[in-house]
Amino acid sequence: MPRPEHVLTLSCPNRPGIVAAVATTIFEHGGNIREAQQYDDVETRRFFARITLDHPEDALDVPALRAGLDAVADRFSMQFALRDRAERRKVIVLVSKFDHCLADILYRWRLGELPMDLVGIISNHGRETYQHLDFTGVPFHYLPVTKQTKLEQEAEVWRVIRETGAELVILARYMQVLSDGLAAKLAGRCINIHHSFLPGFKGARPYHQAHARGVKLIGATAHFVTADLDEGPIIEQDVERCSHNDTPDDLVRQGRDIERRVLSRALLWQLEDRILLNGARTVVFRD
Ligand SMILES: Nc1nc2c(c(=O)[nH]1)N[C@@H](CN(C=O)c1ccc(C(=O)N[C@@H](CCC(=O)O)C(=O)O)cc1)CN2
């Protein structure tokens, strides 16, 4: 029977003694460090770490450990999060017409590859758009939008996010620009898949932009959503070769696989608390 595990993620201004203080606190409260990754950003002089710890059944006094870490956080001006790995995050997925990323997320979730509670799917297109997809057990919310109804529709999106208790929002080719207000409400917990190798070809129709530019590589980028379109901190990217023979539709077709694997990596890493924000960038403690 695997022992209960927690994940501790932290960041703070770098100085000697951080690891010693954190490790001692974990030890003193009955925790056993299973894995530790750390990064010292010499440019920003900030320190980052991800530590997984386990403990014999009920040997870890979590409230006491949290209080001990609070004291360490005060001493080192540290931000930290301590999460029980058994607690699954509530995730909601937003999608528009192109559903290949949603299909991939559903498949991986049903396989057990994505440890999450999928609490809903929101689309500005009707259920008939996805007749080939199985939404069994996942509430589907059809929220159509026009330029005139954008604000009302977005209020509905926010209502569903709140009412489902969604902690993480995935834009799986959701082709609506979120207002500054909603982007702010979802800061650090909304991930978008952009279908280009950012910072190239931001905005709409990136494959057509890339084709017109005559690129020899196409790519996809998973990033946190901010008010500035496709400018949010990058989480994961991948590319594939293309050629002069490829039409825009060829690039769209080839790009689907890149988008799927980039988004599923980013989603899994977020679910495993592997991504830490580092200003306009990220630190990703990959496995
Ligand atoms: N505030 C943000 N919202 C969104 C972001 C973001 O980074 N910040 N990423 C986009 C995704 N996206 C490309 O990946 C994208 C989506 C939509 C558009 C766009 O021009 N949409 C038009 C409507 C298009 C349609 O209705 O088919 C619009 O909103 O007027 C460009 C890029 C998701 N949102």
Side-chain angles (χ1 to χ4, degrees):
M1 180 69 179
R3 304 194 329 172
E5 277 199 351
H6 281 71
V7 185
L8 171 63
T9 51
L10 62 92
S11 73
C12 61
N14 195 15
R15 56 182 264 210
I18 302 165
V19 174
V22 170
T24 301
T25 303
I26 290 170
F27 168 72
E28 288 172 345
H29 292 85
N32 168 53
I33 293 176
R34 295 289 308 278
E35 179 187 336
Q37 297 162 285
Q38 62 189 63
Y39 168 63
D40 165 16
D41 184 334
V42 292
E43 190 180 306
T44 62
R45 293 206 289 271
R46 282 195 74 80
F47 177 81
F48 302 82
R50 176 182 183 273
I51 298 168
T52 57
L53 55 114
D54 74 359
H55 37 84
E57 199 61 48
D58 71 32
L60 183 75
D61 181 343
V62 177
L65 171 59
R66 208 176 286 282
L69 291 170
D70 280 334
V72 172
D74 290 344
R75 185 175 153 206
F76 290 94
S77 304
M78 176 188 290
Q79 289 80 40
F80 77 89
L82 179 67
R83 246 170 47 80
D84 181 343
R85 296 193 84 171
E87 286 176 9
R88 291 179 164 232
R89 269 190 181 81
K90 291 183 170 61
V91 179
I92 199 162
V93 178
L94 279 67
V95 64
S96 292
K97 182 178 166 189
F98 299 107
D99 61 3
H100 51 286
C101 291
L102 170 62
D104 187 62
I105 288 171
L106 284 169
Y107 178 74
R108 292 175 189 271
W109 173 61
R110 293 197 199 288
L111 275 186
E113 277 185 20
L114 296 172
M116 65 183 184
D117 282 347
L118 184 55
V119 295
I121 296 166
I122 295 174
S123 176
N124 55 319
H125 291 252
R127 178 69 182 83
E128 68 284 353
T129 313
Y130 316 100
Q131 284 176 358
H132 54 294
L133 293 186
D134 176 9
F135 289 175
T136 304
V138 186
F140 175 80
H141 306 269
Y142 171 39
L143 301 181
V145 63
T146 66
K147 289 201 184 307
Q148 294 72 33
T149 64
K150 223 163 159 63
L151 285 180
E152 293 81 359
Q153 187 261 4
E154 197 172 82
E156 278 301 290
V157 169
W158 176 238
R159 178 184 61 77
V160 173
I161 290 171
R162 277 187 301 108
E163 289 182 0
T164 56
E167 302 156 81
L168 177 58
V169 178
I170 302 297
L171 306 187
R173 292 299 304 277
Y174 182 67
M175 300 312 288
Q176 296 299 314
V177 178
L178 304 189
S179 68
D180 293 5
L182 185 53
K185 288 172 186 171
L186 297 177
R189 64 187 184 102
C190 183
I191 294 174
N192 176 60
I193 183 70
H194 181 71
H195 35 314
S196 83
F197 186 73
L198 289 175
F201 312 127
K202 297 183 185 109
R205 294 163 63 84
Y207 290 124
H208 291 75
Q209 296 180 53
H211 180 265
R213 185 65 184 79
V215 299
K216 305 306 178 188
L217 287 172
I218 55 167
T221 302
H223 63 90
F224 284 111
V225 167
T226 63
D228 300 321
L229 189 62
D230 301 328
E231 295 269 2
I234 289 173
I235 299 166
E236 172 62 342
Q237 298 183 292
D238 204 348
V239 295
E240 282 186 9
R241 301 203 66 80
C242 60
S243 83
H244 59 278
N245 284 318
D246 292 316
T247 66
D249 284 348
D250 292 331
L251 300 184
V252 168
R253 183 168 46 254
Q254 186 181 355
R256 281 198 282 265
D257 281 338
I258 312 172
E259 296 165 47
R260 278 191 283 249
R261 65 174 178 262
V262 168
L263 182 56
S264 61
R265 283 180 201 150
L267 173 51
L268 178 59
W269 292 341
Q270 183 69 357
L271 295 173
E272 292 183 339
D273 302 282
R274 294 183 180 277
I275 307 168
L276 285 77
L277 279 167
N278 182 16
R281 295 176 291 177
T282 62
V283 174
V284 181
F285 290 120
R286 300 177 47 160
D287 54 351

